[in-house]
Amino acid sequence: MIYVVFGPPGSGKGTQAELLIGALDVPHISTGDLLRAETEVGTPLGRQVASTLAAGELVPDELIERVLERRLRAPDARLGAILDGYPRTVPQARALDDLLASAGRRVDAVLALDVDERTVLNRLLRRAAEQRRADDNPTSIAERLREYRQLTAPVLDHYRAPGVPVIEVDGTGDVETVHQRIVTALKGVPRSS
Ligand code: B4P
């Protein structure tokens, strides 16, 4: 099963995807984490994307598509994955469809976390105070929200149109409350394998 966890920055995608590993028994693949790992190690790719990440901009589609493809081909993703932060544009969604179709697979469900902008802003500013992520500052957060509205939100219609289940879950409230809402909502999703 391929699940996409979808939502604006700070909506809890990474937080909830991590909690779902046990329930769904497939790995959590976060493109943000993959990119940050490259920058921390200082690989050529990491050096190439460091300033883009810090500015809160999206890295180029072709580049992230290669990163995702390599990760999805790893043995632990053979039975599926929880994708977090990918796809973030309609071209990325098309590339994912093609990649999965070449292996007889598809996106089985999209889990869309619904959180208002004031709440995500507060969460990201709180994280900025606790951790030191280069993109958790007011300027980069504003850019991430702008890109979400303009480039990422249309991805939901890309999936709704052909009938992929898009499950909208209220992402406000504490982490465990949101997790329980998701677990309940996923019970209605047919399993393909
Ligand atoms: P991501 O790593 O995906 O960053 P994010 O959108 O902020 O989400 P994240 O998963 O970290 O945070 P979460 O909402 O769980 O992307 C970072 C950057 O990488 C992008 O800006 C872009 O540059 C690049 N990138 C990644 N994928 C890309 C792609 N496909 N194409 C192009 N570029 C790409 O949590 C946020 C905070 O809220 C945390 O502190 C958490 O503890 C807290 N929180 C979560 N749930 C909560 C709750 N219920 N209550 C209170 N706090 C909560």
Side-chain angles (χ1 to χ4, degrees):
M1 295 281 286
I2 301 284
Y3 303 88
V4 171
V5 181
F6 189 90
S11 57
K13 300 183 299 291
T15 307
Q16 295 299 331
E18 199 59 31
L19 289 174
L20 282 173
I21 297 172
L24 301 177
D25 209 21
V26 288
H28 164 205
I29 297 179
S30 157
T31 43
D33 286 350
L34 292 173
L35 292 170
R36 280 186 291 278
E38 299 272 348
T39 61
E40 274 156 30
V41 177
T43 62
L45 170 66
R47 289 198 296 277
Q48 191 184 340
V49 300
S51 61
T52 307
L53 291 188
E57 293 163 4
L58 295 181
V59 305
D61 286 340
E62 311 74 49
L63 195 152
I64 192 73
E65 283 161 21
R66 283 204 307 276
V67 171
L68 192 272
E69 177 170 358
R70 194 175 56 198
R71 180 63 186 88
L72 261 187
R73 289 196 195 283
D76 69 331
R78 199 173 38 88
L79 294 180
I82 305 163
L83 299 182
D84 152 23
Y86 191 96
R88 245 179 168 99
T89 64
V90 171
Q92 288 180 20
R94 293 199 187 107
L96 177 63
D97 291 347
D98 290 346
L99 176 67
L100 293 175
S102 69
R105 305 162 86 183
R106 62 182 163 81
V107 169
D108 293 282
V110 178
L111 186 71
L113 293 172
D114 186 15
V115 184
D116 59 279
E117 287 202 2
R118 182 191 291 262
T119 302
V120 299
L121 184 64
N122 287 337
R123 286 182 187 174
L124 294 173
L125 291 175
R126 196 176 319 131
R127 184 168 67 186
E130 291 164 0
Q131 303 169 23
R132 297 180 65 82
R133 233 175 84 166
D135 56 347
D136 284 341
N137 61 75
T139 311
S140 298
I141 292 169
E143 174 62 15
R144 287 152 67 195
L145 287 171
R146 193 187 65 76
E147 293 206 310
Y148 174 77
R149 280 184 233 111
Q150 209 167 60
L151 298 172
T152 308
V155 170
L156 275 191
D157 282 338
H158 170 88
Y159 287 114
R160 278 199 189 102
V164 174
V166 174
I167 304 150
E168 296 193 56
V169 175
D170 177 2
T172 58
D174 62 58
V175 170
E176 184 55 29
T177 301
V178 178
H179 175 63
Q180 288 308 326
R181 281 187 201 126
I182 293 172
V183 169
T184 303
L186 283 176
K187 287 190 178 137
V189 176
R191 318 261 306 193
S192 66
S193 55

